[in-house]
Amino acid sequence: MTLVWKTAAEQARAIAAREVSAVELVRAHLDRIAADTTGAFLHVDAEGALARARALDAAAPAGPLHGVPVALKDMLVTEGLPTTASSKILAGWVPPYDGTAVARLRAAGAIVLGKLSCDEFAMGSSNERAATGPVKNPWDPTRVPGGSSGGSAAAVAAGLCAASLGTDTGGSIRQPAAFCGVVGLKPTYGRVSRWGVIAFASSLDQVGPLARSVEDVALLTEVIAGHDPLDATSIAQPAPRLADAVAAPAAGLRIGLPREYLEGDLDPEVRAATDRAAAILRDAGATIVDVSLPHTKYALPAYYVIAPAEASSNLARYDGVRYGLRAGDKRQSLLDLYRNSRGAGFGPEVKRRIMLGTFALRSGYYDAYYRKAQQVRALIKRDFDEAFAAVDAILSPTTPAPPWRIGEVVRPIDMYRADVFTLPCNLAGLPGISVPAAFTSGGLPLGVQLVGRPLDEATLVRAARAIERGAGVAGRRPS
Amino acid sequence: VDALTRDDVEQIALLARLALDDAELEQMRVDLTAILVHMDALAEVDTAGVAPMTHAVPMDLPLREDAPGPSLPPPTGPDTDDGFFVVPHVIEKAR
C-alpha cells in the first residue's frame, strides 16, 4: 500500500536498489486501479504492463524510469492500445504507432498501465465532457477533478500510477493538477513533440507531465522533451537538464505578481494561497515584484476564437471514413455520410467549438474575429516579454476558485472562465507549472502557477520546489 | 454581434459538416450568441499596426532529409476493402 505513494523518482530508486521488483510495483497499482472509484481509467492494459514488468525485471536497470508505472491521457496515440480522446467518434480505434513522448517514456523504462479519461478532444475544464461520463475528484467525489486532463490528475492523486502525461492547450494540465493537489508542468511550446498527439489547437497544444512531486515532473520532462524531426514545430534544442534546478535554492530569483490576476472575482482562499506562496518564496530569498500584464482581460476572448478555429480545421479529419464511427445508411450521399457520422460521433461541447471555429473563419468574419484575435495574441505575448525584462517568473493562482461540484457549472462561458489564468501562457507559448500550495478549510487542494521565459523550465522547477518545500502539503493523501 | 438567426446556424452547421437536429440547432443558436457577446471585447483593443501572431515560436519551415522511412500499415476504417476506404459515390450520376 505504501509502495504506490512513493514518488516516481522514489519508485525508480527502489527498483534500482532491488528493494522492490517492477512486477510487484505494477501489481500494487493494478490492485488500486481495480478498487478505484474515480473513473480515471478508460482502458487498463494489465497483461501488457505485467509482461513489460517481467521483461524489465530480467534486464539490468537502464533508463531513469526503469519499472515505474505510468498512465497516459487518451489524447496520446499508443501502439496497440485503444485511443479515443474520450470521444464516441474514435470508439474502437487502435493506433498502429506510439507518439514520440510515449515512445520516449517507454524507452526510459516506464511501464504504461493504460489510458486515462479526459474531456472529449481535450475540450473542457472539468472532465465532465468525456463520452464515458465524468471523473470524480479523489479529494471529494462530489466534485470535478478539473480538465481536460482530469483523469491524468485524478489517477496520480489517487495513487493509481506514479505519474502521468497530459496535454495542455489552455490550462488542461495545470488546472486539473491544481484541483487534484498534484504538480503539473506545461513545457514551452515546441519543447515536446506533438507527433502522435491528437490535435486540438495546433499552435497551442503541448504535452507535459503530472506527478506528486516537483522532482518527478522535472524527471519526466527531461525524458519526453527534445527535438523531434517528425514535428515541424519542434524546437531544435536538446531536452533541458532539470535535476540541478530541483536542488537549487530560490534565493536571488525575482518573482512577479501580476496585478491584473489578483483584482476582481478571486476566491479569498485562493488569494490567501497565492499570498502564502509569495511569502514562502520571499523567505527563501526571492524578491517579489508587482508586474502588469495589461491585456490579460482579452486573453479569454482571443483564446476562444483561436482555439476553436484551429479545432474546426483539425477535427475535419473525423469524417466517418478513416476512423471509428460511421453513421447513416448505405444509400446516403457522401455529404450526408460526413454530416451524420460527425453529428452522431461528437458530443455537445465539441460540436459547439467546431461551430464557433467555423463561424470565426467564415468568409466575411475572418478579419473581425480570427485576424483580430491573432493581433491581440501578439499584444499578450508582448506584455509577457516586457514583464520578463524585470522578473524571472510570474506567480499567480492557477484557478480563480477551488473545484466545483459535478454538474454545478452549466453555461459554456462560465466553464471557459475557469481557464482565465492558465490560457495566456499558451497564447504566448511559455512554460507554466502548477504546484500545490494549500488546502481550503473544506479540505480541497489549491494550486499556484508559475510562468517562465521561453525554454526556461529550470527556473519554474526551482521556484516550484521552494513552494513545495515551504507549503508542507505534499504528504497529504485523499482518504 | 447581432443575435444569430436559425438560418445562420444551419449555414454554419453545413460548412462544418455537422448534422444537428432541431433541438440542437436552437441550443446552438442560443449558446453561440451568448459566447460571441464576450468575443466583442476584442474590438476594444487598438491593434493598429500589430502583426497577427500565427505561432508562438518564430521559425522557418524545417525540411527533413528526403529519405524513405517505414510506412504505416494499411488503413482500418469503418468500411474498407482490400486496403481501400469504401465511400458512397463521390461523383454523382447525371440525371
Side-chain angles (χ1 to χ4, degrees):
Chain A
M1 192 61 156
T2 53
L3 263 185
V4 300
W5 292 116
K6 289 182 185 294
T7 66
E10 288 166 352
Q11 292 185 21
R13 288 193 281 265
I15 286 181
R18 301 278 179 195
E19 292 163 19
V20 64
S21 70
V23 168
E24 287 172 281
L25 212 43
V26 166
R27 285 227 165 90
H29 284 92
L30 290 174
D31 287 348
R32 280 191 72 81
I33 293 168
D36 171 53
T37 53
T38 66
F41 272 83
L42 293 178
H43 180 82
V44 182
D45 182 25
E47 263 180 49
L50 282 167
R52 175 91 170 119
R54 280 191 286 271
L56 287 168
D57 280 338
L65 294 169
H66 190 95
V68 175
V70 300
L72 307 167
K73 185 180 189 181
D74 210 28
M75 294 293 280
L76 296 158
V77 168
T78 43
E79 180 175 2
L81 282 184
T83 300
T84 67
S86 284
S87 180
K88 268 200 301 193
I89 207 157
L90 273 174
W93 185 54
V94 181
Y97 69 105
D98 274 336
T100 300
V102 176
R104 287 181 179 176
L105 264 193
R106 291 199 210 260
I111 299 172
V112 175
L113 295 172
K115 304 300 287 291
L116 298 164
S117 180
C118 56
D119 287 296
E120 186 180 358
F121 283 102
M123 297 176 188
S125 308
S126 68
N127 217 123
E128 293 170 283
R129 310 252 188 259
T132 44
V135 171
K136 295 171 184 157
N137 190 313
W139 297 93
D140 177 349
T142 68
R143 292 178 190 271
V144 302
S148 68
S149 310
S152 300
V156 169
L160 309 180
C161 54
S164 64
L165 292 187
T167 61
D168 190 316
T169 304
S172 280
I173 289 173
R174 292 158 288 154
Q175 188 256 16
F179 275 16
C180 290
V182 301
V183 187
L185 174 68
K186 182 202 90 78
T188 306
Y189 181 85
R191 259 295 192 205
V192 180
S193 172
R194 291 183 297 109
W195 169 253
V197 181
I198 292 178
F200 161 13
S202 300
S203 79
L204 303 164
D205 296 343
Q206 189 61 194
V207 179
L210 297 94
R212 289 188 297 268
S213 74
V214 173
E215 182 189 19
D216 284 359
V217 298
L219 176 61
L220 266 80
T221 302
E222 286 190 357
V223 168
I224 62 173
H227 182 244
D228 178 13
L230 294 173
D231 173 2
T233 60
S234 167
I235 295 175
Q237 293 273 343
R241 308 316 310 170
L242 296 174
D244 291 347
V246 174
L253 287 178
R254 292 165 304 164
I255 306 290
L257 275 177
R259 69 181 68 106
E260 291 82 4
Y261 285 49
L262 298 172
E263 57 200 21
D265 222 6
L266 197 56
D267 179 278
E269 288 186 297
V270 168
R271 175 68 205 242
T274 309
D275 291 343
R276 177 138 183 263
I280 290 168
L281 287 169
R282 198 181 292 115
D283 290 347
T287 310
I288 308 296
V289 184
D290 278 335
V291 294
S292 176
L293 299 167
H295 292 90
T296 295
K297 70 182 259 207
Y298 302 108
L300 187 80
Y303 178 90
Y304 277 97
V305 171
I306 291 168
E310 295 185 13
S312 72
S313 168
N314 274 325
L315 271 62
R317 73 191 70 184
Y318 306 103
D319 55 3
V321 173
R322 288 171 289 177
Y323 315 88
L325 184 88
R326 176 178 291 192
D329 61 48
K330 280 270 178 199
R331 295 218 294 273
Q332 66 188 342
S333 68
L334 187 62
L335 178 61
D336 283 341
L337 184 157
Y338 295 152
R339 297 192 74 182
N340 289 330
S341 300
R342 291 162 62 79
F346 291 132
E349 181 61 25
V350 174
K351 287 178 183 170
R352 201 148 42 227
R353 299 221 195 169
I354 290 173
M355 292 286 287
L356 197 55
T358 305
F359 170 85
L361 293 176
R362 198 161 54 139
S363 169
Y365 293 78
Y366 184 93
D367 282 354
Y369 288 95
Y370 191 62
R371 190 183 145 84
K372 184 78 181 182
Q374 287 186 312
Q375 289 176 306
V376 172
R377 183 178 183 182
L379 294 174
I380 288 163
K381 172 79 161 72
R382 194 184 292 174
D383 285 353
F384 278 107
D385 290 345
E386 285 168 8
F388 283 127
V391 297
D392 301 307
I394 293 172
L395 173 71
S396 73
T398 308
T399 64
W404 56 84
R405 290 185 190 283
I406 292 171
E408 186 180 349
V409 174
V410 178
R411 296 194 317 156
I413 192 77
D414 293 333
M415 188 74 80
Y416 300 170
R417 284 201 183 97
D419 300 332
V420 66
F421 297 150
T422 48
L423 52 82
C425 168
N426 298 76
L427 288 169
L430 303 171
I433 194 170
S434 178
V435 62
F439 278 79
T440 66
S441 52
L444 298 170
L446 295 172
V448 292
Q449 172 180 250
L450 290 151
V451 172
R453 298 188 182 99
L455 300 176
D456 192 14
E457 287 84 5
T459 294
L460 299 187
V461 163
R462 197 175 145 195
R465 177 68 188 113
I467 294 170
E468 180 181 60
R469 201 184 282 124
V473 294
R476 276 177 79 155
R477 307 279 166 248
S479 48
Chain B
V1 73
D2 297 330
L4 292 177
T5 65
R6 177 72 172 237
D7 277 356
D8 292 330
V9 178
E10 284 181 12
Q11 179 62 26
I12 299 165
L14 175 62
L15 289 170
R17 300 292 185 259
L18 285 171
L20 302 179
D21 63 27
D22 277 355
E24 283 181 305
L25 283 167
E26 178 53 21
Q27 190 61 49
M28 201 64 85
R29 194 187 65 74
V30 171
D31 288 348
L32 293 186
T33 299
I35 293 165
L36 288 171
V37 166
H38 293 267
M39 305 303 159
D40 285 347
L42 293 175
E44 298 167 11
V45 187
D46 180 3
T47 53
V50 178
M53 178 174 164
T54 55
H55 237 270
V57 185
M59 57 167 75
D60 294 328
L61 184 66
L63 297 175
R64 66 169 170 79
E65 288 294 307
D66 189 13
S71 298
L72 293 175
T76 55
D79 192 357
T80 59
D81 183 8
D82 195 23
F84 294 94
F85 296 111
V86 178
V87 295
H89 284 290
V90 175
I91 300 166
E92 303 279 338
K93 283 185 194 134
R95 288 167 204 242

